[in-house]
């Protein structure tokens, strides 16, 4: 019996030593990190299909599946356009893609990019925003890790029943407006800005409630607006800016290799993609307009310069209002934006 007990003890000791050695040599499986990414556009929108979905899947691939990203688009619990900024700062979601103008007043420095006739392309506007961010815009994103800032291709002035060729042709028209800066521009030109969600523009054009709208080409396709529009002025009149951000505490709490993977697919690498993406996203809208046979007029560079000069009072008032709200260097930011955009255009 004694011999049996000694043999059993020896076997147990050997087993324990082997287990300890194995545990030492084989690291524990890394815990899965789940991230929630929200945005305000439908899952069918190219921002989702070409940008956010591939970005999320690339992060999963770069981390060998340790990170899992769940996306919440429009219509989901986290898809409201006005809640993107607050919910990512609060940590309700981890990552968010939002529109800088919603809710109004949160990002006045960034919104300077939305002023009329400032840029001619999504590429120049997006790269300029990213260049301006460290010195001029960073204080608007306290508590956030900024992954990218970007803008869409400049919008056109679309109309129904009347062709717009000059600034004077806008007088008396009711036009759907996308932003405060664009509304101020229309008011100076004696048009009436009308605030409407994009999804209501088609019906209101059809019923004659509005005479036209300001949209880039991708919106013309996305909301089937070519069906209810007659004329298009490619004025490159304005752009709209967006942010792509992560909760900073969440980012800092991640392992170093995970942070490195996020950094590798964001920043300069990501910002450089928005110009080509928006050119691609505009193509269906251009095709819709051509298919219907609607006339498209384009302002020359000299004509755009005339509009921009004429609209200087709008720009001055907008900047003054921002200064009075607490952004003392609003004019400096605008001048830096003009200079930086020129570098890319």
């Amino acid at each position: 019996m004694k011999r049996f007990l000694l043999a059993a003890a020896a076997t147990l000791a050997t087993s324990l030593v082997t287990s300890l050695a194995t545990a030492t040599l084989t690291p524990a499986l890394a815990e899965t990190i789940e991230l929630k990414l929200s945005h305000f556009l439908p899952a069918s929108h190219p921002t989702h299909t070409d940008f956010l979905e591939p970005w999320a899947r690339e992060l999963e691939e770069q981390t060998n599946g340790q990170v899992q990203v769940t996306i919440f688009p429009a219509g989901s619990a986290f898809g409201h356009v006005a809640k993107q900024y607050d919910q990512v700062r609060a940590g309700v979601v981890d990552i968010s893609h939002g529109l800088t103008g919603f809710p109004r007043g949160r990002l006045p420095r960034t919104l300077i990019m939305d002023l009329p006739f400032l840029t001619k392309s999504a590429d120049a506007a997006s790269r300029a925003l990213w260049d301006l961010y460290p010195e001029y815009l960073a204080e608007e994103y306290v508590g956030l890790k900024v992954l990218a800032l970007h803008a869409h291709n400049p919008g056109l002035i679309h109309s129904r029943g009347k062709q717009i060729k000059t600034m004077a042709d806008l007088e008396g028209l009711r036009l759907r407006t996308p932003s405060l800066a664009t509304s101020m521009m229309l008011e100076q030109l004696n048009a009436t800005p009308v605030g409407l969600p994009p999804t209501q523009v088609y019906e209101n054009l059809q019923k004659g409630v509005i005479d036209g709208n300001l949209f880039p080409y991708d919106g013309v396709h996305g909301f089937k607006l070519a069906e209810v529009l007659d004329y298009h002025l490619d004025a490159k009149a304005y752009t709209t800016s967006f942010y792509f951000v992560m909760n900073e505490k969440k980012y800092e709490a991640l392992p170093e290799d995970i942070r490195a993977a996020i950094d590798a697919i964001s920043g300069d690498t990501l910002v450089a993609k928005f110009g080509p993406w928006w050119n691609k996203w505009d193509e269906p809208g251009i095709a819709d307009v051509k298919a219907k046979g609607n006339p498209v007029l384009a302002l020359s560079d000299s004509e755009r310069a005339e509009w921009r000069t004429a609209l200087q009072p709008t720009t001055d008032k907008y900047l003054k209002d921002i200064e009075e709200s607490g952004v003392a260097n609003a004019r400096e930011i605008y001048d830096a934006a003009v200079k930086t955009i020129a570098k890319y255009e």
Side-chain angles (χ1 to χ4, degrees):
M1 183 68 178
K2 183 177 180 181
R3 186 179 300 171
F4 173 79
L5 292 174
L6 288 172
T11 301
L12 178 60
T14 301
S15 176
L16 287 171
V17 169
T18 301
S19 297
L20 288 171
T22 303
T24 301
L25 294 173
T26 306
L29 290 175
E31 183 180 352
T32 299
I33 298 169
E34 297 183 359
L35 298 178
K36 296 195 290 286
L37 189 165
S38 66
H39 68 96
F40 63 96
L41 293 162
S44 59
H45 194 279
T47 296
H48 181 104
T49 59
D50 291 355
F51 161 30
L52 295 171
E53 183 74 30
W55 186 93
R57 303 293 81 86
E58 184 175 2
L59 179 58
E60 292 174 347
E61 183 179 347
Q62 292 293 326
T63 59
N64 295 316
Q66 185 179 354
V67 172
Q68 296 293 315
V69 182
T70 302
I71 302 178
F72 297 88
S76 70
F78 306 118
H80 195 286
V81 63
K83 295 181 179 179
Q84 297 305 313
Y85 182 83
D86 288 335
Q87 66 192 14
V88 71
R89 282 198 67 185
V92 175
V93 298
D94 304 303
I95 305 169
S96 176
H97 178 257
L99 196 57
T100 55
F102 290 89
R104 183 174 290 181
R106 297 294 179 84
L107 304 168
R109 295 166 179 82
T110 309
L111 278 170
I112 287 173
M113 185 58 67
D114 295 22
L115 278 165
F117 291 87
L118 187 56
T119 182
K120 294 192 294 184
S121 73
D123 183 66
S126 300
R127 291 177 185 271
L129 280 167
W130 194 239
D131 283 2
L132 294 171
Y133 166 70
E135 183 175 356
Y136 293 108
L137 312 179
E139 64 187 277
E140 295 190 330
Y141 300 92
V142 175
L144 298 169
K145 164 70 175 178
V146 180
L147 305 176
L149 298 174
H150 71 98
H152 66 50
N153 268 338
L156 296 80
I157 303 173
H158 312 276
S159 56
R160 179 179 173 92
K162 178 181 179 180
Q163 187 169 26
I164 299 168
K165 298 180 180 179
T166 68
M167 287 178 272
D169 292 331
L170 289 168
E171 184 172 356
L173 296 185
R174 298 156 299 176
L175 302 172
R176 185 267 177 181
T177 178
S179 66
L180 175 61
T182 308
S183 295
M184 292 172 65
M185 174 188 76
L186 293 176
E187 287 173 348
Q188 185 188 324
L189 297 174
N190 298 312
T192 300
V194 179
L196 285 172
T199 52
Q200 295 180 17
V201 173
Y202 186 107
E203 179 182 2
N204 282 276
L205 279 167
Q206 195 174 44
K207 292 180 177 180
V209 176
I210 57 175
D211 304 300
N213 60 278
L214 285 79
F215 261 121
Y217 271 119
D218 84 294
V220 171
H221 177 73
F223 302 105
K224 303 184 184 302
L225 298 181
E227 297 176 4
V228 288
L229 290 167
D230 300 320
Y231 305 101
H232 312 270
L233 180 65
D234 187 359
K236 295 180 173 58
Y238 76 100
T239 190
T240 297
S241 50
F242 306 83
Y243 56 80
F244 184 48
V245 298
M246 184 170 187
N247 180 279
E248 189 170 47
K249 288 182 179 179
K250 182 69 174 184
Y251 173 82
E252 294 296 342
L254 294 173
E256 183 178 352
D257 60 329
I258 302 300
R259 297 199 306 269
I262 291 172
D263 293 346
I265 62 174
S266 305
D268 291 333
T269 300
L270 180 55
V271 169
K273 296 179 179 181
F274 287 107
W277 272 337
W278 279 106
N279 291 340
K280 172 188 172 184
W281 299 343
D282 276 351
E283 288 175 0
I286 295 171
D288 289 349
V289 169
K290 287 182 177 178
K292 191 184 175 194
N294 290 355
V296 179
L297 298 179
L299 295 182
S300 66
D301 286 346
S302 61
E303 288 171 328
R304 285 189 77 254
E306 290 175 8
W307 282 60
R308 183 168 163 180
T309 299
L311 289 165
Q312 193 61 44
T314 288
T315 297
D316 291 340
K317 184 179 186 309
Y318 188 91
L319 295 174
K320 182 181 178 182
D321 289 347
I322 294 177
E323 289 169 349
E324 292 177 350
S325 72
V327 183
N329 63 337
R331 174 65 64 174
E332 181 184 353
I333 297 172
Y334 176 79
D335 291 341
V338 171
K339 183 178 179 181
T340 308
I341 289 167
K343 179 174 70 174
Y344 291 113
E345 288 186 347

